[in-house]
Amino acid sequence: QVQLVESGGGSVQPGGSLRLSCAASKNLFSINVMGWYRQAPGKERQLVADLLIGGTTNYADSVKGRFTISTDNAKNTAYLQMNKMEVDDTAVYYCMVTVGRFTYWGQGTQVTVSS
């Protein structure tokens, strides 16, 4: 069992930045995949970025060059740095980890981009 606690959401103007954090209750070295997803009102949950055990990162086309996923293994924490934010980035952001054949989700944190 892995508990995930997200933080860092909030409101920002277009062009601004936010950093989301995801604190895991388990050592990150045992995690196969760690990622961030988002779900906008009326839309399906979509991958934003993920980080695989070998270090490979994947990003949605809409966030490439603007968002960066990273981890701090000493703190068992993953981050999503979001720069040059756009109105379409507004969503609830969820942290996700895969350990073996199990997938765990955080509770979500709201991100709103508006002028």
Side-chain angles (χ1 to χ4, degrees):
Q1 190 79 8
V2 180
Q3 282 76 47
L4 303 171
V5 179
E6 298 122 332
S7 60
S11 297
V12 65
Q13 292 185 340
S17 299
L18 283 176
R19 188 177 78 158
L20 304 182
S21 299
C22 174
S25 62
K26 195 175 183 70
N27 191 302
L28 296 185
F29 290 110
S30 64
I31 291 174
N32 303 114
V33 182
M34 194 157 200
W36 289 94
Y37 284 70
R38 67 186 181 188
Q39 187 168 18
K43 295 186 177 180
E44 295 184 352
R45 191 171 298 186
Q46 298 178 325
L47 173 69
V48 177
D50 64 16
L51 176 63
L52 280 60
I53 189 171
T56 302
T57 56
N58 298 294
Y59 293 93
D61 287 341
S62 59
V63 307
K64 284 181 181 177
R66 300 189 298 120
F67 290 11
T68 304
I69 187 172
S70 62
T71 59
D72 184 336
N73 293 336
K75 297 181 179 180
N76 295 340
T77 300
Y79 302 97
L80 183 68
Q81 178 66 44
M82 304 185 289
N83 300 326
K84 300 178 181 179
M85 296 188 71
E86 303 169 356
V87 172
D88 286 346
D89 294 325
T90 296
V92 177
Y93 284 69
Y94 296 90
C95 179
M96 178 279 296
V97 300
T98 300
V99 180
R101 59 188 178 92
F102 298 101
T103 298
Y104 303 93
W105 294 90
Q107 81 284 358
T109 185
Q110 176 69 46
V111 171
T112 302
V113 184
S114 69
S115 55

